[in-house]
Amino acid sequence: FLSRQKREISNFDYLMYLNTLAGRSYNDYMQYPVFPWVLADYHSETLNLTNPHTFRDLSKPMGAQTVERKRKFIQRYNEVEKNLSAQCHYCTHYSSAIIVASYLVRMEPFTQTFCSLQGGSFDVADRMFHSVKSTWESASRDNMSDVRELIPEFFYLPEFLTNANNFELGCMQDGTVLGDVQLPPWADGDPHKFILLHRQALESDYVSAHLHCWIDLIFGYKQHGSAAVEAVNTYHPYFYGDKMDLNNIKDPLIKSTILGFISNFGQIPKQV
């Protein structure tokens, strides 16, 4: 942590190091490296990295980025909906195989992975990853089943934002034909500029000063227990794979259900 604050290591490298310690790997879509949304400004013509309002609140999970959204998830936790088997804020996860594949769907082998996870074809066009701005709005404000974070490629790989293979991804209800990912105005339609500015945002003074708050949520002490409840950061118990002793579950149906749940919806990183 001190090395990061002293600029001896980049924020990107530090996050990759933490992901590795926590058992995350590029080789496992179910435990793929997880990175934070760092920006909240996807509408301005120019990106101001000296303005705190440009950035996402790194002290809060994606489910608590707005007051109203946070209130609804706390209400869910307190009420314990009838269709839930356990008390939690979130029944979906911030990182899963389908989230990773959906982000990278325009590149092989992720295209085939996405289609196989979807039953052999692309998803409905309106649900496909097509716009950075709309994905942020969904995950931070609009969609109660979407609390997704990002993957490392958002900070170094412009190619995943273009439909260079000309895949027929479908047409949205408003008539928009899916192709390249729609970028914020400050990227000027250039994936390379988006990656450059996004990486600058990750390495900015603001993120350097607040990144530890997000690390506490994902990899640290606010991951579970009373600290997680207070931070509005609890997930379905099945997501905490390392906290569940599957060997003690004798019923094969229950065990397969849990394993299927984890593989489909994601897994909390090991605490570091």
Side-chain angles (χ1 to χ4, degrees), residues 63-92:
Q65 289 297 306
T66 70
V67 174
E68 177 62 14
R69 186 170 163 89
K70 179 180 178 180
R71 183 191 65 77
K72 287 180 180 178
F73 279 119
I74 291 174
Q75 183 179 9
R76 170 189 282 180
Y77 180 88
N78 291 332
E79 289 179 353
V80 189
E81 296 177 357
K82 292 179 182 178
N83 63 335
L84 299 182
S85 58
Q87 191 174 36
C88 61
H89 293 109
Y90 314 115
C91 306
T92 54

PDB file of all heavy atoms in Angstrom, residues 63-92:
ATOM      1  N   GLY A  63     -23.946  -0.973  -5.604  1.00  0.00           N
ATOM      2  CA  GLY A  63     -25.335  -0.928  -5.181  1.00  0.00           C
ATOM      3  C   GLY A  63     -25.684   0.263  -4.314  1.00  0.00           C
ATOM      4  O   GLY A  63     -26.858   0.470  -3.985  1.00  0.00           O
ATOM      5  N   ALA A  64     -24.695   1.049  -3.935  1.00  0.00           N
ATOM      6  CA  ALA A  64     -24.940   2.189  -3.044  1.00  0.00           C
ATOM      7  C   ALA A  64     -24.417   3.497  -3.626  1.00  0.00           C
ATOM      8  O   ALA A  64     -24.105   4.435  -2.900  1.00  0.00           O
ATOM      9  CB  ALA A  64     -24.285   1.931  -1.684  1.00  0.00           C
ATOM     10  N   GLN A  65     -24.354   3.581  -4.950  1.00  0.00           N
ATOM     11  CA  GLN A  65     -23.820   4.784  -5.587  1.00  0.00           C
ATOM     12  C   GLN A  65     -24.785   5.961  -5.563  1.00  0.00           C
ATOM     13  O   GLN A  65     -24.376   7.099  -5.687  1.00  0.00           O
ATOM     14  CB  GLN A  65     -23.401   4.470  -7.030  1.00  0.00           C
ATOM     15  CG  GLN A  65     -22.153   3.605  -7.138  1.00  0.00           C
ATOM     16  CD  GLN A  65     -20.905   4.265  -6.562  1.00  0.00           C
ATOM     17  OE1 GLN A  65     -20.555   5.393  -6.936  1.00  0.00           O
ATOM     18  NE2 GLN A  65     -20.231   3.582  -5.655  1.00  0.00           N
ATOM     19  N   THR A  66     -26.087   5.677  -5.413  1.00  0.00           N
ATOM     20  CA  THR A  66     -27.058   6.759  -5.238  1.00  0.00           C
ATOM     21  C   THR A  66     -27.825   6.507  -3.940  1.00  0.00           C
ATOM     22  O   THR A  66     -27.942   5.366  -3.483  1.00  0.00           O
ATOM     23  CB  THR A  66     -28.070   6.836  -6.401  1.00  0.00           C
ATOM     24  OG1 THR A  66     -28.943   5.703  -6.351  1.00  0.00           O
ATOM     25  CG2 THR A  66     -27.357   6.876  -7.754  1.00  0.00           C
ATOM     26  N   VAL A  67     -28.345   7.557  -3.360  1.00  0.00           N
ATOM     27  CA  VAL A  67     -29.070   7.460  -2.090  1.00  0.00           C
ATOM     28  C   VAL A  67     -30.290   6.560  -2.237  1.00  0.00           C
ATOM     29  O   VAL A  67     -30.566   5.697  -1.391  1.00  0.00           O
ATOM     30  CB  VAL A  67     -29.493   8.862  -1.598  1.00  0.00           C
ATOM     31  CG1 VAL A  67     -30.373   8.748  -0.367  1.00  0.00           C
ATOM     32  CG2 VAL A  67     -28.258   9.716  -1.305  1.00  0.00           C
ATOM     33  N   GLU A  68     -31.033   6.741  -3.322  1.00  0.00           N
ATOM     34  CA  GLU A  68     -32.258   5.968  -3.530  1.00  0.00           C
ATOM     35  C   GLU A  68     -31.955   4.484  -3.734  1.00  0.00           C
ATOM     36  O   GLU A  68     -32.640   3.613  -3.192  1.00  0.00           O
ATOM     37  CB  GLU A  68     -33.017   6.524  -4.746  1.00  0.00           C
ATOM     38  CG  GLU A  68     -34.281   5.766  -5.116  1.00  0.00           C
ATOM     39  CD  GLU A  68     -35.344   5.778  -4.026  1.00  0.00           C
ATOM     40  OE1 GLU A  68     -35.243   6.583  -3.084  1.00  0.00           O
ATOM     41  OE2 GLU A  68     -36.291   4.972  -4.134  1.00  0.00           O
ATOM     42  N   ARG A  69     -30.931   4.202  -4.526  1.00  0.00           N
ATOM     43  CA  ARG A  69     -30.542   2.808  -4.789  1.00  0.00           C
ATOM     44  C   ARG A  69     -30.076   2.133  -3.498  1.00  0.00           C
ATOM     45  O   ARG A  69     -30.476   1.001  -3.201  1.00  0.00           O
ATOM     46  CB  ARG A  69     -29.426   2.806  -5.834  1.00  0.00           C
ATOM     47  CG  ARG A  69     -28.973   1.443  -6.345  1.00  0.00           C
ATOM     48  CD  ARG A  69     -28.068   1.695  -7.535  1.00  0.00           C
ATOM     49  NE  ARG A  69     -27.236   0.571  -7.917  1.00  0.00           N
ATOM     50  CZ  ARG A  69     -27.606  -0.376  -8.783  1.00  0.00           C
ATOM     51  NH1 ARG A  69     -28.819  -0.351  -9.306  1.00  0.00           N
ATOM     52  NH2 ARG A  69     -26.786  -1.349  -9.121  1.00  0.00           N
ATOM     53  N   LYS A  70     -29.282   2.841  -2.716  1.00  0.00           N
ATOM     54  CA  LYS A  70     -28.807   2.312  -1.439  1.00  0.00           C
ATOM     55  C   LYS A  70     -29.997   2.006  -0.513  1.00  0.00           C
ATOM     56  O   LYS A  70     -30.038   0.950   0.124  1.00  0.00           O
ATOM     57  CB  LYS A  70     -27.871   3.323  -0.777  1.00  0.00           C
ATOM     58  CG  LYS A  70     -27.338   2.895   0.575  1.00  0.00           C
ATOM     59  CD  LYS A  70     -26.418   3.974   1.143  1.00  0.00           C
ATOM     60  CE  LYS A  70     -25.917   3.583   2.526  1.00  0.00           C
ATOM     61  NZ  LYS A  70     -25.028   4.630   3.094  1.00  0.00           N
ATOM     62  N   ARG A  71     -30.957   2.901  -0.477  1.00  0.00           N
ATOM     63  CA  ARG A  71     -32.136   2.715   0.377  1.00  0.00           C
ATOM     64  C   ARG A  71     -32.895   1.446  -0.013  1.00  0.00           C
ATOM     65  O   ARG A  71     -33.328   0.676   0.842  1.00  0.00           O
ATOM     66  CB  ARG A  71     -33.058   3.933   0.257  1.00  0.00           C
ATOM     67  CG  ARG A  71     -34.277   3.871   1.168  1.00  0.00           C
ATOM     68  CD  ARG A  71     -35.298   4.940   0.829  1.00  0.00           C
ATOM     69  NE  ARG A  71     -35.881   4.766  -0.478  1.00  0.00           N
ATOM     70  CZ  ARG A  71     -36.827   3.857  -0.771  1.00  0.00           C
ATOM     71  NH1 ARG A  71     -37.291   3.051   0.176  1.00  0.00           N
ATOM     72  NH2 ARG A  71     -37.314   3.768  -1.990  1.00  0.00           N
ATOM     73  N   LYS A  72     -33.042   1.221  -1.307  1.00  0.00           N
ATOM     74  CA  LYS A  72     -33.778   0.049  -1.783  1.00  0.00           C
ATOM     75  C   LYS A  72     -33.068  -1.253  -1.410  1.00  0.00           C
ATOM     76  O   LYS A  72     -33.714  -2.232  -1.033  1.00  0.00           O
ATOM     77  CB  LYS A  72     -33.958   0.128  -3.302  1.00  0.00           C
ATOM     78  CG  LYS A  72     -34.973   1.168  -3.750  1.00  0.00           C
ATOM     79  CD  LYS A  72     -35.098   1.182  -5.260  1.00  0.00           C
ATOM     80  CE  LYS A  72     -36.122   2.215  -5.722  1.00  0.00           C
ATOM     81  NZ  LYS A  72     -36.208   2.253  -7.208  1.00  0.00           N
ATOM     82  N   PHE A  73     -31.740  -1.268  -1.511  1.00  0.00           N
ATOM     83  CA  PHE A  73     -31.010  -2.489  -1.174  1.00  0.00           C
ATOM     84  C   PHE A  73     -31.013  -2.746   0.337  1.00  0.00           C
ATOM     85  O   PHE A  73     -31.055  -3.894   0.778  1.00  0.00           O
ATOM     86  CB  PHE A  73     -29.579  -2.434  -1.722  1.00  0.00           C
ATOM     87  CG  PHE A  73     -29.482  -2.790  -3.182  1.00  0.00           C
ATOM     88  CD1 PHE A  73     -28.990  -1.871  -4.100  1.00  0.00           C
ATOM     89  CD2 PHE A  73     -29.885  -4.035  -3.637  1.00  0.00           C
ATOM     90  CE1 PHE A  73     -28.891  -2.194  -5.454  1.00  0.00           C
ATOM     91  CE2 PHE A  73     -29.800  -4.372  -4.980  1.00  0.00           C
ATOM     92  CZ  PHE A  73     -29.307  -3.450  -5.889  1.00  0.00           C
ATOM     93  N   ILE A  74     -30.974  -1.677   1.125  1.00  0.00           N
ATOM     94  CA  ILE A  74     -31.091  -1.848   2.580  1.00  0.00           C
ATOM     95  C   ILE A  74     -32.470  -2.391   2.927  1.00  0.00           C
ATOM     96  O   ILE A  74     -32.616  -3.271   3.783  1.00  0.00           O
ATOM     97  CB  ILE A  74     -30.820  -0.506   3.301  1.00  0.00           C
ATOM     98  CG1 ILE A  74     -29.349  -0.106   3.158  1.00  0.00           C
ATOM     99  CG2 ILE A  74     -31.201  -0.599   4.780  1.00  0.00           C
ATOM    100  CD1 ILE A  74     -29.020   1.263   3.705  1.00  0.00           C
ATOM    101  N   GLN A  75     -33.490  -1.879   2.233  1.00  0.00           N
ATOM    102  CA  GLN A  75     -34.854  -2.365   2.442  1.00  0.00           C
ATOM    103  C   GLN A  75     -34.949  -3.847   2.096  1.00  0.00           C
ATOM    104  O   GLN A  75     -35.569  -4.633   2.822  1.00  0.00           O
ATOM    105  CB  GLN A  75     -35.831  -1.557   1.583  1.00  0.00           C
ATOM    106  CG  GLN A  75     -37.291  -1.936   1.788  1.00  0.00           C
ATOM    107  CD  GLN A  75     -38.217  -1.094   0.926  1.00  0.00           C
ATOM    108  OE1 GLN A  75     -37.783  -0.351   0.061  1.00  0.00           O
ATOM    109  NE2 GLN A  75     -39.508  -1.212   1.164  1.00  0.00           N
ATOM    110  N   ARG A  76     -34.323  -4.239   0.989  1.00  0.00           N
ATOM    111  CA  ARG A  76     -34.318  -5.655   0.607  1.00  0.00           C
ATOM    112  C   ARG A  76     -33.656  -6.496   1.694  1.00  0.00           C
ATOM    113  O   ARG A  76     -34.156  -7.560   2.069  1.00  0.00           O
ATOM    114  CB  ARG A  76     -33.574  -5.843  -0.721  1.00  0.00           C
ATOM    115  CG  ARG A  76     -33.319  -7.314  -1.040  1.00  0.00           C
ATOM    116  CD  ARG A  76     -32.396  -7.496  -2.229  1.00  0.00           C
ATOM    117  NE  ARG A  76     -33.113  -7.278  -3.472  1.00  0.00           N
ATOM    118  CZ  ARG A  76     -32.537  -7.365  -4.674  1.00  0.00           C
ATOM    119  NH1 ARG A  76     -31.245  -7.636  -4.757  1.00  0.00           N
ATOM    120  NH2 ARG A  76     -33.236  -7.167  -5.773  1.00  0.00           N
ATOM    121  N   TYR A  77     -32.538  -6.016   2.215  1.00  0.00           N
ATOM    122  CA  TYR A  77     -31.813  -6.757   3.253  1.00  0.00           C
ATOM    123  C   TYR A  77     -32.682  -6.941   4.495  1.00  0.00           C
ATOM    124  O   TYR A  77     -32.728  -8.019   5.084  1.00  0.00           O
ATOM    125  CB  TYR A  77     -30.535  -6.007   3.620  1.00  0.00           C
ATOM    126  CG  TYR A  77     -29.695  -6.693   4.689  1.00  0.00           C
ATOM    127  CD1 TYR A  77     -28.739  -7.640   4.347  1.00  0.00           C
ATOM    128  CD2 TYR A  77     -29.872  -6.384   6.036  1.00  0.00           C
ATOM    129  CE1 TYR A  77     -27.982  -8.273   5.313  1.00  0.00           C
ATOM    130  CE2 TYR A  77     -29.120  -7.012   7.015  1.00  0.00           C
ATOM    131  CZ  TYR A  77     -28.176  -7.953   6.649  1.00  0.00           C
ATOM    132  OH  TYR A  77     -27.432  -8.582   7.611  1.00  0.00           O
ATOM    133  N   ASN A  78     -33.388  -5.886   4.871  1.00  0.00           N
ATOM    134  CA  ASN A  78     -34.202  -5.933   6.085  1.00  0.00           C
ATOM    135  C   ASN A  78     -35.465  -6.779   5.919  1.00  0.00           C
ATOM    136  O   ASN A  78     -35.941  -7.398   6.869  1.00  0.00           O
ATOM    137  CB  ASN A  78     -34.584  -4.519   6.518  1.00  0.00           C
ATOM    138  CG  ASN A  78     -33.383  -3.731   7.026  1.00  0.00           C
ATOM    139  OD1 ASN A  78     -32.422  -4.316   7.529  1.00  0.00           O
ATOM    140  ND2 ASN A  78     -33.422  -2.414   6.895  1.00  0.00           N
ATOM    141  N   GLU A  79     -36.000  -6.796   4.719  1.00  0.00           N
ATOM    142  CA  GLU A  79     -37.252  -7.515   4.498  1.00  0.00           C
ATOM    143  C   GLU A  79     -37.038  -8.997   4.213  1.00  0.00           C
ATOM    144  O   GLU A  79     -37.901  -9.816   4.527  1.00  0.00           O
ATOM    145  CB  GLU A  79     -38.016  -6.878   3.337  1.00  0.00           C
ATOM    146  CG  GLU A  79     -38.601  -5.506   3.673  1.00  0.00           C
ATOM    147  CD  GLU A  79     -39.335  -4.898   2.491  1.00  0.00           C
ATOM    148  OE1 GLU A  79     -39.268  -5.480   1.387  1.00  0.00           O
ATOM    149  OE2 GLU A  79     -39.960  -3.838   2.662  1.00  0.00           O
ATOM    150  N   VAL A  80     -35.891  -9.343   3.613  1.00  0.00           N
ATOM    151  CA  VAL A  80     -35.609 -10.715   3.169  1.00  0.00           C
ATOM    152  C   VAL A  80     -36.772 -11.228   2.318  1.00  0.00           C
ATOM    153  O   VAL A  80     -37.699 -11.864   2.811  1.00  0.00           O
ATOM    154  CB  VAL A  80     -35.370 -11.682   4.345  1.00  0.00           C
ATOM    155  CG1 VAL A  80     -34.868 -13.020   3.803  1.00  0.00           C
ATOM    156  CG2 VAL A  80     -34.367 -11.132   5.318  1.00  0.00           C
ATOM    157  N   GLU A  81     -36.699 -10.921   1.038  1.00  0.00           N
ATOM    158  CA  GLU A  81     -37.773 -11.284   0.118  1.00  0.00           C
ATOM    159  C   GLU A  81     -38.079 -12.784   0.186  1.00  0.00           C
ATOM    160  O   GLU A  81     -37.206 -13.603   0.438  1.00  0.00           O
ATOM    161  CB  GLU A  81     -37.378 -10.893  -1.312  1.00  0.00           C
ATOM    162  CG  GLU A  81     -37.208  -9.386  -1.491  1.00  0.00           C
ATOM    163  CD  GLU A  81     -36.741  -9.028  -2.888  1.00  0.00           C
ATOM    164  OE1 GLU A  81     -36.498  -9.949  -3.676  1.00  0.00           O
ATOM    165  OE2 GLU A  81     -36.616  -7.831  -3.180  1.00  0.00           O
ATOM    166  N   LYS A  82     -39.319 -13.115  -0.073  1.00  0.00           N
ATOM    167  CA  LYS A  82     -39.783 -14.491   0.079  1.00  0.00           C
ATOM    168  C   LYS A  82     -39.015 -15.478  -0.791  1.00  0.00           C
ATOM    169  O   LYS A  82     -38.867 -16.641  -0.442  1.00  0.00           O
ATOM    170  CB  LYS A  82     -41.278 -14.573  -0.250  1.00  0.00           C
ATOM    171  CG  LYS A  82     -42.164 -13.853   0.756  1.00  0.00           C
ATOM    172  CD  LYS A  82     -43.619 -13.938   0.363  1.00  0.00           C
ATOM    173  CE  LYS A  82     -44.499 -13.169   1.350  1.00  0.00           C
ATOM    174  NZ  LYS A  82     -45.923 -13.203   0.943  1.00  0.00           N
ATOM    175  N   ASN A  83     -38.545 -15.012  -1.954  1.00  0.00           N
ATOM    176  CA  ASN A  83     -37.866 -15.940  -2.854  1.00  0.00           C
ATOM    177  C   ASN A  83     -36.373 -16.068  -2.548  1.00  0.00           C
ATOM    178  O   ASN A  83     -35.645 -16.743  -3.258  1.00  0.00           O
ATOM    179  CB  ASN A  83     -38.050 -15.513  -4.316  1.00  0.00           C
ATOM    180  CG  ASN A  83     -37.420 -14.157  -4.594  1.00  0.00           C
ATOM    181  OD1 ASN A  83     -37.269 -13.348  -3.708  1.00  0.00           O
ATOM    182  ND2 ASN A  83     -37.074 -13.918  -5.847  1.00  0.00           N
ATOM    183  N   LEU A  84     -35.907 -15.412  -1.500  1.00  0.00           N
ATOM    184  CA  LEU A  84     -34.500 -15.532  -1.124  1.00  0.00           C
ATOM    185  C   LEU A  84     -34.331 -16.598  -0.055  1.00  0.00           C
ATOM    186  O   LEU A  84     -35.189 -16.787   0.796  1.00  0.00           O
ATOM    187  CB  LEU A  84     -33.968 -14.192  -0.579  1.00  0.00           C
ATOM    188  CG  LEU A  84     -33.993 -13.000  -1.528  1.00  0.00           C
ATOM    189  CD1 LEU A  84     -33.380 -11.794  -0.843  1.00  0.00           C
ATOM    190  CD2 LEU A  84     -33.244 -13.306  -2.796  1.00  0.00           C
ATOM    191  N   SER A  85     -33.199 -17.275  -0.114  1.00  0.00           N
ATOM    192  CA  SER A  85     -32.939 -18.303   0.887  1.00  0.00           C
ATOM    193  C   SER A  85     -32.075 -17.760   2.018  1.00  0.00           C
ATOM    194  O   SER A  85     -31.818 -18.448   2.990  1.00  0.00           O
ATOM    195  CB  SER A  85     -32.242 -19.504   0.237  1.00  0.00           C
ATOM    196  OG  SER A  85     -31.033 -19.104  -0.380  1.00  0.00           O
ATOM    197  N   ALA A  86     -31.614 -16.532   1.895  1.00  0.00           N
ATOM    198  CA  ALA A  86     -30.742 -15.964   2.924  1.00  0.00           C
ATOM    199  C   ALA A  86     -30.810 -14.446   2.873  1.00  0.00           C
ATOM    200  O   ALA A  86     -31.162 -13.852   1.857  1.00  0.00           O
ATOM    201  CB  ALA A  86     -29.307 -16.427   2.716  1.00  0.00           C
ATOM    202  N   GLN A  87     -30.447 -13.828   3.975  1.00  0.00           N
ATOM    203  CA  GLN A  87     -30.465 -12.372   4.072  1.00  0.00           C
ATOM    204  C   GLN A  87     -29.230 -11.796   3.400  1.00  0.00           C
ATOM    205  O   GLN A  87     -28.104 -12.160   3.724  1.00  0.00           O
ATOM    206  CB  GLN A  87     -30.496 -11.960   5.547  1.00  0.00           C
ATOM    207  CG  GLN A  87     -30.782 -10.484   5.759  1.00  0.00           C
ATOM    208  CD  GLN A  87     -30.946 -10.150   7.232  1.00  0.00           C
ATOM    209  OE1 GLN A  87     -30.266 -10.734   8.076  1.00  0.00           O
ATOM    210  NE2 GLN A  87     -31.835  -9.234   7.557  1.00  0.00           N
ATOM    211  N   CYS A  88     -29.438 -10.892   2.449  1.00  0.00           N
ATOM    212  CA  CYS A  88     -28.321 -10.257   1.746  1.00  0.00           C
ATOM    213  C   CYS A  88     -28.825  -9.006   1.032  1.00  0.00           C
ATOM    214  O   CYS A  88     -30.029  -8.818   0.853  1.00  0.00           O
ATOM    215  CB  CYS A  88     -27.687 -11.224   0.735  1.00  0.00           C
ATOM    216  SG  CYS A  88     -28.820 -11.773  -0.565  1.00  0.00           S
ATOM    217  N   HIS A  89     -27.883  -8.164   0.631  1.00  0.00           N
ATOM    218  CA  HIS A  89     -28.251  -6.987  -0.161  1.00  0.00           C
ATOM    219  C   HIS A  89     -28.399  -7.336  -1.635  1.00  0.00           C
ATOM    220  O   HIS A  89     -29.281  -6.839  -2.321  1.00  0.00           O
ATOM    221  CB  HIS A  89     -27.185  -5.893  -0.013  1.00  0.00           C
ATOM    222  CG  HIS A  89     -27.092  -5.300   1.361  1.00  0.00           C
ATOM    223  ND1 HIS A  89     -26.042  -5.540   2.204  1.00  0.00           N
ATOM    224  CD2 HIS A  89     -27.942  -4.485   2.032  1.00  0.00           C
ATOM    225  CE1 HIS A  89     -26.232  -4.886   3.346  1.00  0.00           C
ATOM    226  NE2 HIS A  89     -27.381  -4.242   3.269  1.00  0.00           N
ATOM    227  N   TYR A  90     -27.487  -8.194  -2.129  1.00  0.00           N
ATOM    228  CA  TYR A  90     -27.418  -8.461  -3.566  1.00  0.00           C
ATOM    229  C   TYR A  90     -27.537  -9.950  -3.873  1.00  0.00           C
ATOM    230  O   TYR A  90     -26.873 -10.773  -3.252  1.00  0.00           O
ATOM    231  CB  TYR A  90     -26.104  -7.926  -4.145  1.00  0.00           C
ATOM    232  CG  TYR A  90     -25.779  -6.524  -3.683  1.00  0.00           C
ATOM    233  CD1 TYR A  90     -24.661  -6.272  -2.891  1.00  0.00           C
ATOM    234  CD2 TYR A  90     -26.614  -5.451  -4.007  1.00  0.00           C
ATOM    235  CE1 TYR A  90     -24.375  -4.992  -2.447  1.00  0.00           C
ATOM    236  CE2 TYR A  90     -26.342  -4.167  -3.565  1.00  0.00           C
ATOM    237  CZ  TYR A  90     -25.218  -3.939  -2.781  1.00  0.00           C
ATOM    238  OH  TYR A  90     -24.942  -2.677  -2.337  1.00  0.00           O
ATOM    239  N   CYS A  91     -28.376 -10.265  -4.858  1.00  0.00           N
ATOM    240  CA  CYS A  91     -28.515 -11.644  -5.327  1.00  0.00           C
ATOM    241  C   CYS A  91     -27.751 -11.855  -6.628  1.00  0.00           C
ATOM    242  O   CYS A  91     -27.724 -12.956  -7.168  1.00  0.00           O
ATOM    243  CB  CYS A  91     -29.973 -11.980  -5.549  1.00  0.00           C
ATOM    244  SG  CYS A  91     -30.961 -11.657  -4.098  1.00  0.00           S
ATOM    245  N   THR A  92     -27.195 -10.789  -7.161  1.00  0.00           N
ATOM    246  CA  THR A  92     -26.296 -10.892  -8.310  1.00  0.00           C
ATOM    247  C   THR A  92     -24.920 -10.424  -7.866  1.00  0.00           C
ATOM    248  O   THR A  92     -24.763  -9.892  -6.758  1.00  0.00           O
ATOM    249  CB  THR A  92     -26.789 -10.031  -9.482  1.00  0.00           C
ATOM    250  OG1 THR A  92     -26.985  -8.686  -9.026  1.00  0.00           O
ATOM    251  CG2 THR A  92     -28.088 -10.563 -10.040  1.00  0.00           C
TER     252      THR A  92
END
